[in-house]
Amino acid sequence: MAGDALIELRGVNKHYGKLHVLRDIDLTVGRGEVVVVIGPSGSGKSTLCRAINRLETVESGSIKLDGRPLPEEGRALAQLRAEVGMVFQSFNLFAHKTVLANVMLAPIKVRKKKKDDAARQARELLDRVGLASQADKYPAQLSGGQQQRVAIARALAMDPKALLFDEPTSALDPEMINEVLEVMRQLARDGMTMVVVTHEMGFARSAANRVVFMDDGCIVEDRTPEEFFTAPRSERAKDFLSKIL
Ligand code: ADP
Ligand code: MG
């Protein structure tokens, strides 16, 4: 683990009715670390991400961010959501707002930033994701890859301590996947703490410090990409890799 623990889950359990979707999850993500989460559909990857951002409650166990338990509700919860950005498969941009306005919105509303400052920061972030020239367009005028890069800029605008990505490239046409992964690689190099659910094994190999393999609500393996891809220990991981590689 690189540096100290930023995200810490201990003995986390969650059910949906009778379905046990998170089973005794222990996971530590160090500051500056990139953890890629892989596993079959339905194994609990999205639920794990949503639990870390407290978009889902859990029944038992503890989840800490930067040493503090996740808040239950109210202002503290809004603050937490600001500290852990989330990027989804569907970009969730506001269709009736420009790209610039999309990136400025949360800093003004949640952080009470001045409009000028928010606009300056938004332009810097759009530049960072390679979209400086698209600031005044509307989301529908952009490609899927560009929209997802706007979504990343928007998440960064809150100065998050960590970013969670839930299959950020799964909805994209193949030729757009790389431009999004490249932005994510750059974030990783800049030291951003990231949890990334993805099926992009090239990204996992090149950018992850650790690969977490989930199956049926359990973390089955948690190892370096090199160890995981060259010699998966579990039959379940071997089987999964044989299907996707
Ligand atoms: P993954 O992201 O790995 O595909 P999910 O975390 O989305 O898996 O889902 C894990 C399991 O929980 C799946 O069987 C899914 O159908 C179920 N599930 C997810 N969300 C809900 C929900 N809101 N209500 C009931 N079941 C759900
Ligand atoms: Mg999912």
Side-chain angles (χ1 to χ4, degrees):
M1 195 180 64
D4 54 337
L6 183 60
I7 300 169
E8 231 182 331
L9 291 84
R10 287 288 166 269
V12 168
N13 281 281
K14 176 166 184 77
H15 289 75
Y16 287 118
K18 284 186 182 158
L19 190 65
H20 199 171
V21 282
L22 295 179
R23 299 176 189 245
D24 285 321
I25 298 289
D26 291 324
L27 177 68
T28 305
V29 182
R31 209 179 294 277
E33 203 171 29
V34 177
V35 172
V36 163
V37 180
I38 67 174
S41 176
S43 56
K45 307 179 298 295
S46 294
T47 306
L48 177 71
C49 281
R50 293 167 62 82
I52 293 171
N53 205 16
R54 219 185 163 296
L55 292 166
E56 296 284 355
T57 55
V58 298
E59 290 138 18
S60 63
S62 77
I63 305 179
K64 288 182 182 170
L65 178 71
D66 226 352
R68 294 191 314 254
L70 296 194
E72 291 295 317
E73 55 195 11
R75 273 184 64 87
L77 181 55
Q79 182 68 27
L80 166 86
R81 297 250 170 80
E83 286 180 357
V84 184
M86 187 135 174
V87 176
F88 301 90
Q89 181 175 328
S90 53
F91 330 120
N92 298 344
L93 299 175
F94 294 104
H96 59 287
K97 289 188 184 295
T98 66
V99 163
L100 189 74
N102 264 280
V103 180
M104 288 168 61
L105 192 67
I108 291 173
K109 283 214 164 164
V110 182
R111 293 262 194 253
K112 311 294 175 205
K113 270 205 180 182
K114 290 203 189 103
K115 219 173 161 187
D116 286 358
D117 292 340
R120 192 176 316 117
Q121 182 205 28
R123 286 189 191 282
E124 280 169 17
L125 289 170
L126 288 171
D127 190 37
R128 193 164 159 195
V129 299
L131 293 173
S133 61
Q134 311 294 318
D136 299 321
K137 292 198 176 155
Y138 286 85
Q141 295 173 287
L142 270 50
S143 72
Q146 289 174 321
Q147 290 186 54
Q148 191 59 301
R149 287 187 280 147
V150 175
I152 294 172
R154 183 178 57 175
L156 289 171
M158 296 298 277
D159 297 320
K161 288 181 178 169
L163 283 181
L164 311 175
F165 294 82
D166 191 1
E167 302 202 21
T169 60
S170 294
L172 299 177
D173 291 334
E175 72 272 21
M176 292 167 190
I177 290 176
N178 240 329
E179 66 191 51
V180 173
L181 294 179
E182 194 41 54
V183 166
M184 292 167 62
R185 281 195 191 94
Q186 188 56 50
L187 288 177
R189 285 192 288 267
D190 292 345
M192 177 59 73
T193 306
M194 295 162 49
V195 176
V196 183
V197 178
T198 185
H199 299 295
E200 294 296 327
M201 296 301 127
F203 177 83
R205 276 175 192 273
S206 63
N209 298 101
R210 278 163 42 220
V211 172
V212 165
F213 174 72
M214 284 187 79
D215 191 24
D216 201 16
C218 299
I219 291 182
V220 180
E221 303 206 25
D222 179 350
R223 306 164 69 201
T224 66
E226 182 155 312
E227 289 168 335
F228 180 77
F229 288 112
T230 53
R233 285 202 187 109
S234 60
E235 286 307 316
R236 290 195 274 184
K238 281 180 200 164
D239 184 51
F240 177 76
L241 288 173
S242 73
K243 284 177 185 147
I244 61 160
L245 290 181

